[in-house]
Amino acid sequence: MVSDSVQPAIPAIEIENLRFSYGTKEVIHGVSLSIPANQITAFIGPSGCGKSTLLRCLNRINDRIPGAAITGGSIRIGGIDISRPDLDLQVLRRRVGMVFQKWNPFPKSIYDNIAYGLRIHGETNRKALDEKVEHSLRVVALWDDVKDRLKTSAFGLSGGQQQRLCIARTIAAKPDIILLDEPCSALDPLSTLKVEELLLELRNDYTIVIVTHNLAQASRCSDQTALFYLGELIEYGNTSQMFQAPREKRTEDYITGAFG
Amino acid sequence: MPDTSHNPVPSGHPFCRRGRSTEGLIKAFFGGNAALTIVILVLIILFLLREGVGFFPEYRTELQNFRKSGLEFVDIARKDLTAHEQMGSLLNRAYFAQVNSNCREEMQRLEEATAIVNYLGEATAPAHDALVQVTDAESNSPPTPELLQKLSAQYRKRLADALSGRLGKGFPPTPHLSRTEQQLLCDQIAARDPLSTDDPAFANELQASLAAKRELSAAPLIAFRDAIDAFQSSSSALDVLVSETSDTVKATKEAAVLHGIQVRKRQTLLDAARTAKPDLRSQLEADIAAAVTTEPVDFTAAMAPVLARIPQFKEANAAMSAGLTEVSEKLPLSLSDEKADRYLKAFRAATPAMAAETADTVGLLEGWRADVPVGIGMTISGFISGRDWITGGEWQDIYGILPLFIGSLMISIIALAIAIPFGVGAAIYTNQLAGPRQQRFVKPTIEFLQAIPSVVLGFVGIAVLGTLLQEVSTLDSLSWIPGFPIQQRLNMFTAGCLLGLMAIPTIFTLSEDAINNVPAAFAEASDALGASKLQTIFRVIVPAAISGILAAVLLGLGRVIGETMVVLLVAGNRIQIPDFTDGIGTVFQPAHTLTGIIAQELGEVPFGSVHYRALFVVGILLFVIVLAINWTAQRLLRRFRISQH
């Protein structure tokens, strides 16, 4: 049901007829969509519609759950089907970063949190580390707040700051794609605004996929929107078009609050 | 609005509370249980303290007596004598190792021949014993010829069986005897009269050849032997002096102790007489009059003859120093046998220390004063830093816990060195790497170790581990390991291994908990950054769980330090500070421990004696150590929990 009104940008992720199961229970029933590069794509839909599961397929983080598996179809990133069992997950996850719903900095210092991703990929040069940490923190507009306490625990930051730290940690590893799983659902409106501004800035350098519950957020900061319901893609298309003139009846019902 | 909350619910109203008394009773019951437990704990501590605290004043009095009666004076001189003896024994060992090194072949041949004789003797023992019994001259009736014949036939049959190797463990191996020699020996035994126990001629030959060879190899060492003899006899003057003066001072001490007992007895009687009934009082008064039969000891007078011999001590001391210098010059530079040479080197290494010690002695003897009081501080520091724990002797009981403390400490370190890698490693594996089926198998299995009673582990240690380790350590290919081959079957390492085994479940379970409590979000974040499984484990999960793991290790240490049965059975129980010159090999020396000494000695000491109290002080010390460890562990755990939330 891929809309032909998708902007002609180069597709970064191509999902074809994807099926996904937890054990014997199938939760995604043949979804196909193409996510363009350097844009923000929002996944929306009521709880349990499979939007988070689909997002977590994109970096195979679902593999952590025993019994969870892609049972059909394919996901192609950069031309490679990432659902193959022999894929090097470390390389994939380096290219596809992820920010979680609940901020989860490591119990380490602010500096070490950012440097962690660099270090595990073999960066040992002190100066290079310093530069990259500073750059990442500047990107998320956290540098001025924390530059004097880089060596203190990351737990000392506020919730919004911790979430931005997690974004900085993700972009420090230089991914091509950033996945965000309801990144603002536990943040206050002001912090949410800051994260949204940040996403709009990041759009120039990264392909961003964001799952959100918040329809206003989707309409504010996404270029494309995909609506899911019960494991199926209902409608996918340009955000402004979808919010103003939905093609499907169920889309209209959902965005006007008739269900969900 | 009027406050009505305190108005009682009218009785009979459905809301009226019923059975209030049951609730109170239940509360009282459980509260009582908790309170009783705490009261018992306090009582135990008080009891320990009451029994232990009396130790220091009493021990001080003993030490006071030790000094006043001059035992301390004699001990100064005796120390040199002991050192001299040890040095002499080193030389003797070097000498015999050198002599025997040349006769190894003869010794092995003799050993093998003896093994054959013993094997045949054991195999024919039943028939032989029966024959001895019936032919016994004391027995009433002389044996009938038929009986004799029957028994002889039995004997011959068994002997024949044994010669063909069919009995018992079979014919012993004899790699150093030729086939003909072996046959000759067997023939000689076969030809022997059934009643005879004489060694066969061939065995005697071997013995003679060994003796001859010994003599031969001793011949070039005659100068060495003479030097050793001269060295050993250089202490004879001191030996005589020490033994004579120790008799004198011991008599003084015994008199003083007896007098002390009598005085105490009179005091007890006097106390009793004060409250006694009139009809008993006269009897008591008579007892009181008869209680003290000895004069109080005049220490100065008793000590005078001993002190008068200081010049003689000086002479004896000089003779010994001269002996040491002389022997050092006469000793061969090195010995060809490796073992002998090691003993010789050990002697040379100890020479300067011995010379220095001998040189001090005269000054110490002259400076010694009987009337310097023993302070309570000295008593305590002597207890804590004392290098000897000598009890049950006639001379003087010395209580110094250093050797016990070091023993406990070393064994704990060995145990932890074994238990930490295994316990923490298994915890990491189970929690992070194992599949659910392995988890279900590994966890209960490791925890099952805890169910093995420590006494059972103890005899596993004696019967299996100790013997196995000792046998393995004699392998030539392992001789590069320091301390190998192991001299003592029961040593700190064996005990440490078993204690490590006992600590593994504690460390495993608690570490596993700590690792399990690390939020999954950390691991997820690390995975999402492209970390490998090992990077996630060692850079995120273990650091996050580290205080929990440390607490687990500390609780394991608490268990190890307090463990008694295994160390008592397996540690070798030698009360001595280990000889650290062996480096890592030190762990293969035996030791005694704080817990072991209590278990071993408490059953044998007289109730209320100084020794009894000394053991209580050791108990208090253990209690404090374990308490400190557990407290630290609790604090770590608390910090860990806080950091998680």
Side-chain angles (χ1 to χ4, degrees), chain B residues 38-82:
Chain B
I38 292 169
V39 166
I40 290 173
L41 177 73
V42 171
L43 281 180
I44 289 174
I45 295 172
L46 284 181
F47 170 73
L48 265 180
L49 284 177
R50 197 197 63 175
E51 294 296 319
V53 154
F55 166 72
F56 288 107
E58 281 184 37
Y59 184 38
R60 182 188 174 194
T61 319
E62 275 209 354
L63 286 183
Q64 201 92 261
N65 248 334
F66 172 67
R67 176 167 289 174
K68 274 198 250 170
S69 13
L71 266 66
E72 190 185 36
F73 178 86
V74 180
D75 265 354
I76 296 173
R78 196 201 298 275
K79 224 173 106 196
D80 287 353
L81 208 59
T82 322

Side-chain angles (χ1 to χ4, degrees), chain A residues 56 64 93 108 116 121, chain B residues 524 526-527 529 535 539:
Chain A
R56 295 166 73 92
R64 289 174 52 82
R93 287 169 185 166
K108 298 172 183 286
Y116 178 80
H121 295 123
Chain B
E524 202 173 45
S526 176
D527 272 3
L529 284 167
Q535 284 172 328
R539 297 193 185 203

Side-chain angles (χ1 to χ4, degrees), chain B residues 281-309:
Chain B
R281 188 168 289 165
S282 59
Q283 176 60 38
L284 277 175
E285 271 162 5
D287 282 347
I288 289 164
V292 179
T293 54
T294 52
E295 292 293 310
V297 178
D298 181 355
F299 289 108
T300 327
M303 202 50 202
V306 176
L307 288 177
R309 299 180 79 164

Side-chain angles (χ1 to χ4, degrees), chain A residues 56 59 61 64 90 93 96 98 100 104-108 116 119-121 155 169-170, chain B residues 520-533 535-536 539-540 543-544 643:
Chain A
R56 295 166 73 92
N59 67 345
I61 198 89
R64 289 174 52 82
Q90 291 176 43
R93 287 169 185 166
V96 185
M98 187 167 200
F100 296 87
N104 54 357
F106 299 123
K108 298 172 183 286
Y116 178 80
R119 285 188 177 133
I120 59 173
H121 295 123
F155 292 160
R169 181 175 68 185
T170 306
Chain B
F522 294 163
E524 202 173 45
S526 176
D527 272 3
L529 284 167
S532 68
K533 191 80 201 167
Q535 284 172 328
T536 304
R539 297 193 185 203
V540 176
S643 79

